[in-house]
């Protein structure tokens, strides 16, 4: 079968890999119908973190074609989405909706578990990991439910967002746009979205957000737009020191800064003044589809949000190498690969 792999040298290749089989009795095999490329995948492509034979991708949907003997709630022929990671479903973190803290946490395509940018994928703990998809949910909406939409939801939850709050989002990539869409759907007074890319700022404006050109002066502009007060909630959706600095500079006294982007290089630009003088709370954010997907699916089927619109490009799986290069060049917001 075709599968996407990388050696951490800045490129990917489409290789011929063995079709997966059921290994544990709670496994299923899913025939992939669509997989998305995530910004997290780019970390693995740019840095030699992974075995060169490991299939990439933690955002995928498909159809169940084989089940293990101890799979009870998933059946052959079901259209399903997979959570982006596997958890045991039995430990205290899992039972208290803190699945990212599970000792058995395994990210698809992120270490030891092959991902879904392939024709087929093995899904462990299938009864817990997979969710049946309603026919009314499009492939695009389903793909964002696997990771980035729950991450956007968690960003609002962790920062204490409430209806009527003002929000600043630094970075109008897929997660940033979804944070804006969710915040507005949940009653934000205003969402200010900062980015260097004019095309993405136009997308933000279409969603109802206030576009703010990034770079020098961005924080000052947000302060002007909020009457000098700053935003109640500021969220970094980039994972870079300048973006985090902008979020810290435009948040109000006593406000909260959420860190969604993963900072791989450098130290957080946090001062004692931010923490004590301005009483700013800083919280890291990790998405959890196990906790959020039911609420988000209801919002989708009720027509309150259209999250799949962040997917603005589609390509065959066989063209993954070229697609990754275009994604890294920011030629589109988010792409979907079709096996």
């Amino acid at each position: 079968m075709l599968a996407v792999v990388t050696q951490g040298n800045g490129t990917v290749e489409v290789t011929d890999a063995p079709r997966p089989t059921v290994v544990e009795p709670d496994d299923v095999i899913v025939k992939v119908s669509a997989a998305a490329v995530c910004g997290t995948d780019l970390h693995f492509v740019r840095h030699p973190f992974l075995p060169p034979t490991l299939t990439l991708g933690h955002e995928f949907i498909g159809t169940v074609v084989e089940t293990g003997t101890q799979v009870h709630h998933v059946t052959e022929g079901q259209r399903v989405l997979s959570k982006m990671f596997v958890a045991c479903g039995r430990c205290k973190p899992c039972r208290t909706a803190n699945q990212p803290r599970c000792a058995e946490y395994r990210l698809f395509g992120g270490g030891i578990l092959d991902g879904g940018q392939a024709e087929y994928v093995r899904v462990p703990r299938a009864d817990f990991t997979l969710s049946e998809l309603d026919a009314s949910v499009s492939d695009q909406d389903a793909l964002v439910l696997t990771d980035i939409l729950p991450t956007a939801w968690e960003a609002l939850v962790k920062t204490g967002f409430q209806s009527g709050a003002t929000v600043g989002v630094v970075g109008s990539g897929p997660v940033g746009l979804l944070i804006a869409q969710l915040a507005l759907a949940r009653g934000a007074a205003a969402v200010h979205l900062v980015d260097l890319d004019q095309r993405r700022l136009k997308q933000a404006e279409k969603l109802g957000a206030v576009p703010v050109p990034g770079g020098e002066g961005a924080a000052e502009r947000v302060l002007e737009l909020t009457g000098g007060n700053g935003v109640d909630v500021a969220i970094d959706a980039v994972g870079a020191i300048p973006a985090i600095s902008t979020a810290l500079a435009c948040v109000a006294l006593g406000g909260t800064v959420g860190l969604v982007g993963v900072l791989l290089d450098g130290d957080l630009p946090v001062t004692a003044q931010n923490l004590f003088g301005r009483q700013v709370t800083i919280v890291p954010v990790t998405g959890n589809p196990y906790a959020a997907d039911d609420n988000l699916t209801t919002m989708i089927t009720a027509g309150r949000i259209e999250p799949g619109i962040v997917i603005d490009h589609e390509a065959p799986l066989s063209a993954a190498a070229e697609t990754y290069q275009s994604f890294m060049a920011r030629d589109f917001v988010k792409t979907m690969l079709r096996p």
Side-chain angles (χ1 to χ4, degrees):
M1 69 168 188
L2 297 181
V4 180
V5 300
T6 184
Q7 295 187 32
N9 59 1
T11 64
V12 304
E13 61 179 305
V14 180
T15 188
D16 186 17
R19 175 174 164 170
T21 58
V22 168
V23 177
E24 300 292 338
D26 60 1
D27 289 349
V28 309
I29 305 302
V30 172
K31 183 178 181 181
V32 178
S33 57
V37 180
C38 180
T40 301
D41 294 325
L42 299 187
H43 296 319
F44 302 135
V45 172
R46 290 171 172 145
H47 304 280
F49 295 152
L50 305 179
T53 57
L54 189 88
T55 303
L56 293 170
H58 54 271
E59 301 172 322
F60 60 91
I61 61 173
T63 302
V64 176
V65 294
E66 185 180 355
T67 63
T69 57
Q70 293 184 15
V71 177
H72 305 294
H73 304 297
V74 177
T75 59
E76 291 185 19
Q78 280 185 333
R79 177 175 175 251
V80 293
L81 71 81
S82 175
K83 312 297 193 296
M84 62 177 168
F85 63 89
V86 173
C88 76
R90 300 187 300 267
C91 65
K92 183 177 179 180
C94 285
R95 289 185 283 105
T96 55
N98 286 304
Q99 289 86 356
R101 300 180 185 175
C102 175
E104 294 188 23
Y105 177 103
R106 287 173 287 169
L107 179 71
F108 283 99
I112 61 174
L113 192 62
D114 281 311
Q117 291 174 16
E119 293 182 90
Y120 295 87
V121 59
R122 179 177 74 92
V123 179
R125 308 280 189 191
D127 282 334
F128 193 51
T129 310
L130 296 177
S131 299
E132 185 174 13
L133 279 168
D134 187 280
S136 65
V137 178
S138 69
D139 285 356
Q140 289 83 354
D141 285 343
L143 278 174
V144 298
L145 277 167
T146 63
D147 172 9
I148 61 173
L149 187 59
T151 298
W153 174 275
E154 195 73 1
L156 296 178
V157 171
K158 286 290 181 67
T159 54
F161 167 84
Q162 294 183 353
S163 177
T166 53
V167 180
V169 183
V170 185
S172 59
V175 176
L177 290 170
L178 290 176
I179 292 170
Q181 188 175 160
L182 280 174
L184 290 166
R186 295 178 58 188
V191 177
H192 305 276
L193 218 160
V194 180
D195 203 280
L196 294 166
D197 190 321
Q198 288 298 318
R199 294 172 302 171
R200 297 190 178 197
L201 288 178
K202 288 180 180 178
Q203 288 177 295
E205 191 170 20
K206 288 179 181 178
L207 292 174
V210 179
V212 178
E216 187 175 352
E220 288 76 10
R221 177 59 178 153
V222 174
L223 290 172
E224 290 174 7
L225 291 167
T226 55
N229 297 318
V231 292
D232 301 310
V233 172
I235 299 172
D236 163 51
V238 178
I241 291 173
I244 297 171
S245 296
T246 298
L248 286 165
C250 72
V251 73
L253 288 170
T256 303
V257 174
L259 304 180
V260 175
V262 179
L263 182 65
L264 293 178
D265 300 306
D267 299 321
L268 287 176
V270 180
T271 66
Q273 181 183 9
N274 288 132
L275 295 177
F276 294 98
R278 299 180 62 218
Q279 289 293 298
V280 172
T281 300
I282 301 172
V283 293
V285 176
T286 301
N288 185 6
Y290 290 92
D293 271 4
D294 286 346
N295 289 333
L296 292 168
T297 299
T298 299
M299 292 182 75
I300 291 170
T301 55
R304 292 186 60 197
I305 55 174
E306 296 181 81
I309 63 173
V310 300
I311 298 177
D312 57 349
H313 182 266
E314 182 177 330
L317 184 68
S318 58
E322 301 89 340
T323 301
Y324 262 86
Q325 292 303 310
S326 295
F327 185 43
M328 285 189 276
R330 295 169 63 92
D331 290 341
F332 41 78
V333 176
K334 192 169 181 68
T335 187
M336 177 169 65
L337 299 172
R338 293 278 196 186

